[in-house]
Amino acid sequence: MPKQAEEFLQSLLRGGPPGWPGEEGEQFERDFLEACRSHGVAPLLHHRLTEIGGSNTWPERLRLRLKSEEGGALLLKEVLDRELRRVLEALAEDHVSCLLLKGAAVARTAYPAPHLRPRSDADLWVRPADRPALETCLERLGYLPAPATGAELIQAQKGFQRTDRSGVRHLLDVHWKISNVQLFAEVLTFDEVWPRRRPVPGLGPAAHTLEPATALLFACLHRVAHHGASLRLIWLRDIQGLAARLDGEQVEAFIGLARAKDLRAVCRDGLACALNAFPEPPVCDELLEWANRPTSREEASGRFLERADVRAAIFLSDFRQLGTADRLRFVKEHLFPSPEYMLQRYGGRTRLALPLLYLRRALEGGWRILLKR
């Protein structure tokens, strides 16, 4: 991504002057729009520009596109939220306890308006014992399971999808552990956090999510465990928005939780990056001071902050976490996912191609791991 366009975007979101760089041409416009989309912040940026003004010097074409991005996000949110309410109500009727994670929850707990946090799916967390009842419920609602690897040691989640009469595809990502990564999978358990759940405004009485301190911890954890400590702006804005809403008691709970779960380095890195990208609205002084303290990387989770290739890092970390009996199964699950998954993942058209596809997967994965040694 062109550096100049990304730097201008970051400056605007930090509160910098909104005037358009007059010397830049159409290529810069395209680069800037691509940066907004890639970071997932086009609606958020347009909302900010509307609030503060000053974009009258911008190319009209770009202003109209950003306005369209926010308008489209608002319309899509209404469609996705209506379907999500239907799903949550059905699960509640079937006595399946469920927590909303990530975008669908954060949009309504950490943003001035839900549509400013775009999402393409909804993440649900359920007890492992409730998986059969959940799948039965989703099947009744018209959802089909997405092709899966069939690997229980690798994936603690499963995708479901449904296309409605308007042609909108609804995606659900169902988790029965907090993370696919072995090191983080049991850091938080469903029964541990369920009693402290909080309602999600605007999604009906069946919508619940993590309490604020735990939600912030999870946002920091997920960024590192699944996105290689990414600096993607929408994920940093999630962290900043959640942090800014903590009161004094919740800040103490968050710091205590980070310490108890050996996630201090992960949480401090997430907060420091988020507060650098989004200084407003401000967080309380105690949290700001804690985020800026130096932290030893001796915590096992802190090693993920030094990894460039997150997939290789996860493989090696998971392998080390498992006992001897599970390691052979773990390697087999990586090398030989289900045929359905392989055909979709690599674009195969017939099962005759499977031997070559499995060989390709083994070579690609082995090369990444060797590079990390």
Side-chain angles (χ1 to χ4, degrees):
M1 186 181 303
K3 183 178 180 181
Q4 191 174 0
E6 188 160 355
E7 288 178 346
F8 181 53
L9 171 61
Q10 292 172 351
S11 172
L12 290 169
L13 293 172
R14 286 193 194 102
W20 183 256
E23 70 279 4
E24 304 298 343
E26 292 185 10
Q27 183 59 51
F28 184 78
E29 290 180 40
R30 290 191 288 270
D31 292 342
F32 179 76
L33 186 61
E34 176 56 30
C36 292
R37 289 170 173 166
S38 177
H39 282 281
V41 294
L44 186 66
L45 176 66
H46 183 262
H47 179 78
R48 168 170 165 71
L49 292 173
T50 301
E51 281 190 325
I52 66 173
S55 63
N56 55 315
T57 61
W58 288 39
E60 183 179 6
R61 174 176 52 244
L62 181 58
R63 285 189 284 124
L64 290 174
R65 287 187 176 179
L66 288 173
K67 181 179 180 180
S68 176
E69 293 276 345
E70 184 178 358
L74 179 58
L75 290 174
L76 182 59
K77 179 202 76 73
E78 295 297 330
V79 175
L80 296 181
D81 283 356
R82 183 169 59 246
E83 174 67 11
L84 183 55
R85 289 188 200 99
R86 186 177 80 103
V87 170
L88 295 174
E89 288 169 4
L91 289 173
E93 290 174 0
D94 287 1
H95 306 289
V96 176
S97 299
C98 169
L99 289 168
L100 281 175
L101 301 175
K102 298 193 282 187
V106 174
R108 291 182 174 274
T109 54
Y111 284 79
H115 72 281
L116 301 180
R117 205 303 184 179
R119 65 179 178 87
S120 58
D121 62 3
D123 290 82
L124 312 179
W125 188 16
V126 301
R127 292 185 179 90
D130 284 340
R131 286 172 58 191
L134 176 136
E135 294 198 21
T136 299
C137 179
L138 292 184
E139 182 180 0
R140 188 176 72 249
L141 295 176
Y143 281 84
L144 298 174
T149 64
E152 291 289 325
L153 289 176
I154 297 173
Q155 285 196 319
Q157 64 192 72
K158 186 174 181 179
F160 296 84
Q161 57 189 12
R162 170 183 175 267
T163 302
D164 65 23
R165 293 179 181 178
S166 301
V168 177
R169 191 167 62 147
H170 300 274
L171 304 175
L172 300 175
D173 202 359
V174 177
H175 305 252
W176 48 94
K177 291 184 179 180
I178 199 67
S179 174
N180 291 330
V181 180
Q182 295 289 335
L183 182 64
F184 301 109
E186 302 293 341
V187 163
L188 297 169
T189 65
F190 189 93
D191 287 328
E192 173 187 0
V193 302
W194 176 253
R196 304 194 306 273
R197 65 192 181 278
R198 295 293 178 86
V200 181
L203 289 177
H208 297 92
T209 190
L210 306 171
E211 58 86 23
T214 307
L216 178 57
L217 182 106
F218 172 71
C220 294
L221 179 159
H222 184 76
R223 167 183 170 261
V224 168
H226 294 275
H227 300 295
S230 170
L231 295 178
R232 189 171 185 241
L233 291 173
I234 196 64
W235 294 327
L236 296 181
R237 177 58 179 79
D238 288 351
I239 293 172
Q240 192 275 342
L242 290 166
R245 299 200 175 194
L246 297 188
D247 60 27
E249 184 177 337
Q250 292 163 348
V251 166
E252 289 185 11
F254 168 73
I255 293 173
L257 198 58
R259 183 185 304 113
K261 303 296 184 179
D262 287 331
L263 292 173
R264 284 168 291 183
V266 164
C267 290
R268 282 187 174 130
D269 184 78
L271 280 169
C273 292
L275 299 180
N276 178 61
F278 297 95
E280 297 292 337
V283 303
C284 74
D285 291 342
E286 182 185 359
L287 187 58
L288 182 62
E289 188 272 333
W290 184 85
N292 289 322
R293 288 182 194 172
T295 302
S296 170
R297 296 291 175 88
E298 293 180 0
E299 293 172 329
S301 59
R303 298 171 194 159
F304 276 71
L305 298 172
E306 303 166 2
R307 304 288 189 172
D309 187 333
V310 67
R311 289 173 294 183
I314 290 171
F315 179 90
L316 291 171
S317 173
D318 285 352
F319 187 81
R320 292 167 183 148
Q321 290 293 313
L322 293 169
T324 304
D326 284 330
R327 285 182 173 179
L328 182 60
R329 178 187 166 198
F330 174 75
V331 173
K332 181 180 177 182
E333 287 183 352
H334 265 282
L335 292 176
F336 301 106
S338 70
E340 293 76 17
Y341 172 83
M342 290 295 294
L343 292 174
Q344 184 191 65
R345 171 69 176 79
Y346 295 101
R349 297 184 178 181
T350 170
R351 286 181 173 247
L352 295 176
L354 285 172
L356 289 176
L357 297 181
Y358 282 119
L359 177 62
R360 174 185 170 184
R361 180 179 178 85
L363 291 174
E364 289 178 352
W367 181 248
R368 290 193 196 99
I369 293 167
L370 287 173
L371 287 176
K372 295 304 295 181
R373 286 191 175 280

